[in-house]
Amino acid sequence: VLNAVEAMPDGGRLDIYAARQNRRIAITFSDSGAGIPPDVMPQLFEPFFSTKHSGTGLGLAVSQEIIAEHGGTLTAVSPAINSQGNGRSGATFTVTLPIAELETAV
């Protein structure tokens, strides 16, 4: 959420959705910010990589690792924007996690 807010300094829209997908929950965070340049996408989850002037570049890397430790995934997509600035902007991050099964007392 913080990354989305920072990507929209002049305001914008952040949509958060959750949906069950079989035995998993998927939570998507879609913003209307500037988007992620295609050349940045391959490095997005690398430790210490950042496009920000301040920060450690650990946020997404650590988040992805924590989610993976819980059996989930963290992915990102950002539609391409052509050289004229046309096209859809923004980015969508999706967290998927397994749904825990409750044990029933016998």
Side-chain angles (χ1 to χ4, degrees), residues 12 15 17 19 21-22 26 29 37 48 53 59 61-62 64-65 69-70 76 79 83 85-86 91 95 97 99 104:
D15 295 317
Y17 297 99
Q21 297 175 339
N22 296 320
F29 302 83
F48 306 108
H53 295 292
V62 169
Q64 189 179 51
E65 183 65 27
E69 289 291 323
H70 289 281
S83 60
N86 299 324
V95 175
L97 291 166
I99 297 173
T104 56

Side-chain angles (χ1 to χ4, degrees), residues 17-99:
Y17 297 99
R20 185 177 182 145
Q21 297 175 339
N22 296 320
R23 299 174 62 101
R24 301 181 73 74
I25 184 87
I27 307 161
T28 60
F29 302 83
S30 296
D31 68 55
S32 62
I36 303 166
D39 61 319
V40 170
M41 289 297 290
Q43 299 169 296
L44 200 59
F45 296 105
E46 289 181 11
F48 306 108
F49 175 79
S50 180
T51 59
K52 299 177 185 177
H53 295 292
S54 63
T56 62
L58 290 174
L60 289 174
V62 169
S63 296
Q64 189 179 51
E65 183 65 27
I66 291 169
I67 291 165
E69 289 291 323
H70 289 281
T73 60
L74 172 60
T75 58
V77 294
S78 186
I81 300 171
N82 63 30
S83 60
Q84 288 80 33
N86 299 324
R88 188 170 163 258
S89 61
T92 298
F93 285 79
T94 302
V95 175
T96 62
L97 291 166
I99 297 173

